[in-house]
């Protein structure tokens, strides 16, 4: 057995996934459960801290999930709530999908601190209402303040890295890890129809209208195809093209 290591992964609704961050954490959990014997052999223990999950706790051999509660307004009290509910465990690696919840470990020098970004708030701001604009403004400033204290930063695409560079972030600590997907994605029977799948919540910032405009420019080069939009309809995007 190698030297023991304890890791925590912090994300919302790990056992009841919805929206990007929780689905990423859920698929990560599923992947780790497949290699539990290897984790145990290497002395690695992984604890998921699941934000506002209904399931309080679930345990396997080398992997566990524990729920932690957060209350509104996270924008103003997120760090305080994270400090008050910080586990007593000594973790070697903290990998957080929540900027607020990595805060308690930022001043610890002996902990590897990883933040996983899921949205470009300065791009999303133009689609927000007044409070949303204020939230994204605060979030961007938090990110700039916390960023130097992070050990690593996970970007889900090269686009994220380009955006960080445009804002002056040091991208030498950035690691590109694309979002994981479930095995069932590869088990789908092939459909002979030509389908373009657009999986995303149907809201202005996901830019379905922009996609359709781009598609119209090359439609003559495409033959018999159909577009399938999948995702919850959270608000009207009519007239916001």
């Amino acid at each position: 057995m190698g030297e023991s290591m304890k890791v925590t992964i912090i994300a919302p609704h790990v056992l009841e996934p919805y929206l990007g961050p929780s689905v990423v954490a859920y698929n990560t959990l599923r992947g780790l459960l497949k290699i539990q014997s290897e984790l145990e052999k290497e002395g690695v223990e992984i604890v998921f801290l699941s934000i506002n999950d209904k399931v309080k706790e679930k345990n396997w051999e080398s992997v566990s999930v524990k729920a932690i509660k957060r209350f509104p307004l996270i924008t103003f009290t997120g760090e305080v709530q994270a400090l008050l509910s910080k586990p007593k465990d000594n973790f070697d690696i903290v990998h957080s999908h929540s900027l607020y919840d990595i805060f308690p470990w930022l001043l610890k020098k002996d902990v590897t601190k990883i933040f996983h970004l899921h949205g470009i708030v300065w791009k999303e701001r133009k689609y927000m209402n007044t409070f949303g604009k204020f939230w994204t403004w605060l979030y961007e400033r938090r990110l700039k303040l916390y960023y130097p204290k992070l050990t690593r930063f996970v970007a889900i695409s090269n686009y994220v890295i380009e955006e960080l560079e445009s804002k002056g972030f040091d991208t030498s600590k950035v690691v590109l890890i694309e979002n994981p997907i479930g095995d069932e994605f590869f088990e789908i029977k092939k459909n002979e129809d030509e389908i373009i799948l657009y999986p995303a919540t149907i809201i202005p910032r996901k830019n379905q209208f922009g996609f359709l405009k781009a598609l119209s420019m090359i439609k003559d080069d495409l033959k018999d195809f159909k577009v399938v939009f999948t995702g919850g309809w959270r608000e009207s995007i009519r007239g916001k093209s």
Side-chain angles (χ1 to χ4, degrees), residues 210-221:
F211 169 76
L212 291 174
K213 284 184 177 180
L215 199 61
S216 69
M217 298 177 185
I218 60 170
K219 61 180 175 37
D220 293 337
D221 298 321

Side-chain angles (χ1 to χ4, degrees), residues 37-75:
S37 58
E38 287 85 349
L39 293 174
E40 186 174 9
K41 181 179 179 181
E42 295 298 326
V44 178
E45 179 186 354
I46 298 178
V47 179
F48 283 81
L49 296 179
S50 182
I51 302 170
N52 290 339
D53 220 324
K54 291 181 181 179
V55 180
K56 291 184 178 180
E57 187 170 342
K58 196 161 186 178
N59 299 285
W60 293 271
E61 295 176 10
S62 302
V63 181
S64 62
V65 178
K66 298 179 181 178
I68 53 176
K69 193 70 176 175
R70 294 289 177 266
F71 303 92
L73 288 165
I74 300 295
T75 301

Side-chain angles (χ1 to χ4, degrees), residues 114-235:
I114 304 170
F115 176 61
H116 202 131
L117 183 66
H118 289 275
I120 309 297
V121 293
W122 49 88
K123 287 290 189 180
E124 298 170 4
R125 187 173 299 137
K126 65 180 180 179
Y127 301 110
M128 302 286 187
N129 58 23
T130 301
F131 178 77
K133 292 181 188 299
F134 178 64
W135 171 80
T136 56
W137 180 84
L138 280 178
Y139 195 92
E140 182 180 347
R141 273 141 190 81
R142 275 185 169 102
L143 182 59
K144 289 181 176 179
L145 179 63
Y146 299 166
Y147 191 87
K149 300 178 176 62
L150 299 173
T151 311
R152 288 288 183 268
F153 184 99
V154 177
I156 62 175
S157 68
N158 283 313
Y159 170 73
V160 173
I161 298 175
E162 292 170 2
E163 280 297 318
L164 290 171
E165 290 174 341
S166 74
K167 285 289 185 175
F169 287 92
D170 172 18
T171 56
S172 63
K173 66 174 64 178
V174 175
V175 178
L176 175 62
I177 303 178
E178 296 179 347
N179 288 341
I181 57 177
D183 290 343
E184 60 270 17
F185 180 85
F186 301 98
E187 297 169 358
I188 298 174
K189 293 182 179 180
K190 181 174 174 56
N191 191 320
E192 296 301 326
D193 296 333
E194 298 296 330
I195 296 175
I196 300 175
L197 178 65
Y198 198 118
T201 305
I202 301 175
I203 52 177
R205 65 185 176 86
K206 294 300 183 180
N207 201 24
Q208 281 86 357
F209 270 126
F211 169 76
L212 291 174
K213 284 184 177 180
L215 199 61
S216 69
M217 298 177 185
I218 60 170
K219 61 180 175 37
D220 293 337
D221 298 321
L222 300 173
K223 297 181 180 179
D224 296 334
F225 70 95
K226 63 180 178 180
V227 178
V228 177
F229 293 101
T230 63
W233 189 285
R234 289 176 56 189
E235 59 184 278

